[in-house]
């Protein structure tokens, strides 16, 4: 694996200024290798390659781009197990998750991008106008560590489909799977400069990308703080910015015969990926008169999950990604206890027998009020806050009382109530009974959860400019 080099203009190259960073396996706290971290000089080289490649790649026929995406998908299939292993190693995803949703989602995004590209009209007549959709140009892609392949491919597939060229800065915390993606794209025969990758820190490499006058668009997934930094720097050159940021998703449980199932599945959804998903249902809203019942159900569900070695098929919850993330979650657990929320299960410290690794106890808090820090702050760990509500109107008010709006969940039998909540919740995706739209549903948020949409037709449009031709 090309850990010490960057992928620029179809070649693996050394950084302009050598600098190294250890990649840590969060389950063992040991280094699994060291990557080079780049500088603005490396970004200059990558942008130059992407700008040169754009001249020809932007003119390619749709059939050529479909062929390239199809070949990328074919090579991806061959490397599937390696991708899963890399994800497990770099960010601690349990092997069943790493080889399931984490790795397979890349295949889904490629398949969807091909489908969308096959049916998109890039030039058509509308009200006596000719409307053209044209690739926006050179794109900077910055991706996080929590769903590394999902975020890389959900940006890269539509970027290629649109005829754009790119520079990827994957998370420096979890870079291994992105390196495999670069190798896949190389083997698939992408023209030199169409895809480039530089590792590095956000305040250095990410800032250089956002500031760069020859990058036409920035697509960023990460924290709201990071998104603000990208948008601020990008404003200097008036480039387009598409952002998918944080979340604190509500999960409204309806009072009906599915209550037990709804609460149990809600706990599972919150704890999945060790709670490290921006759209995780981390605030469970339950009818006040069934609050104590919900605590018992949630406690049983959380305590039935196995926290441990990501290599074991029996493991449900792996470690947090880093020591920094571990410490942040511990501080927020203390905040929940200090705010007098009811600690139902879990709490501070590591689970018994897991002294090595950034493992945390799956935690349930009850009697949470929505003004508590644990109800407002994105914890990014396996921590669920259960909040009582009296009426449907109050549930909506509590659910929307957040600076985020990425996702929301509603669970129950009553279809009329399901749709009442769905229509009144301020979020980009509404999951009824934990349904998922997969790679075909637009993904993005309201408020401080970002702007723009990823996936499918909406994801392709992010990388296109609209031109109107008049007077024909």
């Amino acid at each position: 694996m090309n850990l010490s080099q960057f992928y620029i203009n179809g070649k693996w190259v050394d950084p302009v200024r050598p600098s190294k960073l250890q990649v840590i396996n969060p389950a063992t706290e040991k280094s699994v290798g060291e990557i080079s971290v780049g500088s603005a000089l490396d970004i200059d080289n990558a942008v130059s390659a992407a700008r040169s490649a754009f001249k020809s790649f932007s003119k390619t026929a749709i059939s050529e781009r479909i062929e390239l995406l199809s070949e990328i998908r074919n090579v991806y299939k061959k490397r599937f197990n390696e991708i899963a292993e890399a994800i497990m190693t770099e960010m601690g995803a349990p092997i069943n998750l790493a080889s399931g949703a984490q790795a397979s989602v890349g295949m889904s995004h490629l398949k969807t991008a091909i489908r969308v590209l096959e049916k998109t009209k890039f030039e058509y007549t509308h009200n006596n106008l000719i409307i053209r959709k044209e690739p926006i140009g050179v794109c900077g892609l910055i991706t996080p560590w929590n769903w590394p392949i999902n975020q890389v491919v959900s940006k890269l597939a539509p970027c290629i489909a649109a005829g754009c060229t790119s520079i990827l800065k994957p998370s420096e915390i979890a870079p291994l799977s992105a390196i495999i993606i670069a190798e896949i794209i190389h083997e698939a025969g992408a023209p030199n400069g169409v895809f480039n990758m530089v590792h590095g820190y956000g305040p250095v490499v990410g800032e250089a990308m956002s500031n760069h006058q020859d990058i036409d668009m920035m697509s960023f997934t990460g924290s709201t703080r990071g998104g603000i930094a990208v948008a601020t720097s990008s404003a200097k050159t008036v480039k387009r910015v598409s952002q998918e940021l944080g979340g604190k998703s509500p999960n409204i449980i309806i009072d009906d015969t599915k209550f037990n199932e709804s609460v149990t599945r809600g706990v599972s959804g919150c704890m999945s990926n060790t709670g490290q998903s921006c759209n995780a249902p981390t605030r469970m809203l339950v009818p006040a008169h069934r609050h104590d019942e919900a605590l018992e159900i949630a406690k049983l569900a959380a305590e039935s999950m196995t926290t441990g070695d990501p290599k074991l098929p029996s493991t449900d919850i792996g470690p947090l990604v880093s020591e920094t993330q571990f410490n942040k979650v511990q501080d927020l657990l203390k905040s929940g206890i200090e705010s007098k929320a009811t600690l139902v299960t879990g709490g501070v410290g590591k689970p018994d027998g897991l002294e090595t690794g950034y493992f945390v106890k799956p935690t349930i808090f009850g009697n949470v009020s929505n003004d508590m820090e644990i109800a407002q702050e994105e914890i990014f760990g396996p921590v669920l806050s259960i909040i009582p509500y009296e009426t449907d109107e109050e549930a909506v008010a509590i659910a929307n009382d957040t600076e985020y709006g990425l996702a929301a969940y509603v669970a129950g039998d009553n279809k009329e109530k399901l749709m009442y909540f769905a229509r009144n919740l301020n979020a980009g995706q509404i999951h009824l009974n934990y349904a998922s739209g997969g790679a075909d549903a637009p993904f993005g948020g309201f408020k401080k959860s970002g702007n723009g949409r990823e996936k499918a037709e909406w994801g392709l449009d992010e990388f296109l400019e609209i031109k109107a031709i008049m007077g024909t």
Side-chain angles (χ1 to χ4, degrees), residues 201-240:
Y201 301 108
V204 179
V205 172
E207 178 75 8
M209 292 166 70
S210 303
N211 268 324
H212 208 290
Q213 63 181 4
D214 285 329
I215 289 182
D216 302 292
M217 172 190 173
M218 290 297 299
S219 180
F220 173 86
T221 299
S223 68
T224 298
R225 176 185 54 79
I228 291 170
V230 168
T232 300
S233 296
S234 296
K236 299 171 188 175
T237 52
V238 200
K239 56 170 60 74
R240 182 183 298 175

Side-chain angles (χ1 to χ4, degrees), residues 152-414:
V152 168
V153 184
S154 68
K155 297 180 190 300
L156 187 58
C159 180
I160 291 172
C164 294
T165 58
S166 64
I167 302 95
L168 170 68
K169 190 204 89 65
S171 170
E172 70 279 9
I173 296 172
L176 305 182
S177 55
I179 292 172
I180 297 176
I181 289 294
E183 294 172 350
I184 288 170
I185 291 171
H186 182 82
E187 184 177 342
N192 294 347
V194 165
F195 170 80
N196 306 273
M197 183 179 70
V198 176
H199 299 295
Y201 301 108
V204 179
V205 172
E207 178 75 8
M209 292 166 70
S210 303
N211 268 324
H212 208 290
Q213 63 181 4
D214 285 329
I215 289 182
D216 302 292
M217 172 190 173
M218 290 297 299
S219 180
F220 173 86
T221 299
S223 68
T224 298
R225 176 185 54 79
I228 291 170
V230 168
T232 300
S233 296
S234 296
K236 299 171 188 175
T237 52
V238 200
K239 56 170 60 74
R240 182 183 298 175
V241 178
S242 180
Q243 301 171 315
E244 189 267 288
L245 308 176
K248 192 68 180 176
S249 301
N251 180 15
I252 298 175
I253 307 298
I254 296 174
D255 183 7
D256 59 24
T257 56
K258 288 186 68 174
F259 188 80
N260 191 313
E261 177 188 345
S262 297
V263 172
T264 300
R265 292 182 66 188
V267 173
S268 178
C270 176
M271 303 298 171
S272 178
N273 204 40
T274 318
Q276 299 172 125
S277 297
C278 48
N279 61 344
T282 54
R283 290 185 297 144
M284 181 180 288
L285 280 59
V286 301
H289 72 282
R290 302 190 75 170
H291 172 268
D292 292 348
E293 181 185 353
L295 298 194
E296 290 301 316
I297 297 168
K299 174 181 169 68
L300 182 64
E303 292 181 352
S304 70
M305 294 181 176
T306 300
T307 303
D309 187 348
K311 294 180 181 178
L312 300 178
S314 59
T315 295
D316 301 303
I317 300 174
L320 294 173
V321 75
S322 67
E323 183 178 13
T324 298
Q325 189 65 20
F326 175 85
N327 291 333
K328 176 192 172 186
V329 171
Q330 294 301 307
D331 287 343
L332 286 163
L333 291 173
K334 293 172 186 175
S335 172
I337 294 168
E338 291 166 1
S339 66
K340 306 302 183 183
T342 301
L343 180 62
V344 178
T345 188
V348 297
K350 295 183 178 182
D352 292 342
L354 293 171
E355 288 75 22
T356 300
Y358 306 122
F359 295 95
V360 297
K361 300 172 185 176
T363 298
I364 307 288
F365 283 108
N367 288 300
V368 176
S369 63
N370 205 51
D371 59 353
M372 292 180 182
E373 186 177 28
I374 56 171
Q376 291 293 323
E377 181 77 13
E378 186 178 34
I379 298 175
F380 238 56
V383 182
L384 176 65
S385 296
I386 299 182
I387 305 169
Y389 70 87
E390 295 287 351
T391 65
D392 292 349
E393 292 75 18
E394 184 186 23
V396 170
I398 293 170
N400 289 336
D401 182 20
T402 171
E403 63 183 8
Y404 298 113
L406 186 59
Y409 299 73
V410 191
D413 255 338
N414 189 316

Side-chain angles (χ1 to χ4, degrees), residues 1-3 7 12 72 75-90 149 152-153 156 168 170 174-188 195 197 199:
M1 190 175 283
N2 296 287
L3 292 173
Y7 187 74
W12 291 96
I72 291 171
V75 181
Y76 190 111
K77 288 180 184 178
K78 294 193 299 181
R79 305 290 300 273
F80 188 93
N81 291 337
E82 294 171 70
I83 291 170
E85 178 103 8
I87 294 170
M88 180 189 70
T89 301
E90 67 190 356
I149 286 297
V152 168
V153 184
L156 187 58
L168 170 68
L176 305 182
S177 55
I179 292 172
I180 297 176
I181 289 294
E183 294 172 350
I184 288 170
I185 291 171
H186 182 82
E187 184 177 342
F195 170 80
M197 183 179 70
H199 299 295

Side-chain angles (χ1 to χ4, degrees), residues 38-120:
S39 66
L41 297 174
D42 299 295
I43 292 300
D44 285 342
N45 291 338
V47 173
S48 177
R51 177 60 61 191
S52 178
F54 180 72
K55 295 174 184 176
S56 56
F57 191 67
S58 61
K59 308 296 184 184
T60 53
I62 292 174
S63 59
E64 292 180 65
R65 284 176 253 155
I66 290 173
E67 184 178 352
L68 175 57
L69 288 167
S70 298
E71 186 56 26
I72 291 171
R73 195 166 186 266
N74 289 336
V75 181
Y76 190 111
K77 288 180 184 178
K78 294 193 299 181
R79 305 290 300 273
F80 188 93
N81 291 337
E82 294 171 70
I83 291 170
E85 178 103 8
I87 294 170
M88 180 189 70
T89 301
E90 67 190 356
M91 56 81 61
I95 188 58
N96 285 342
L97 177 66
S99 59
Q102 283 273 11
S104 64
V105 72
M107 296 286 292
S108 298
H109 288 312
L110 289 163
K111 181 179 180 180
T112 296
I114 293 166
R115 173 187 64 76
V116 171
L117 185 53
E118 286 174 335
K119 72 183 188 68
T120 297

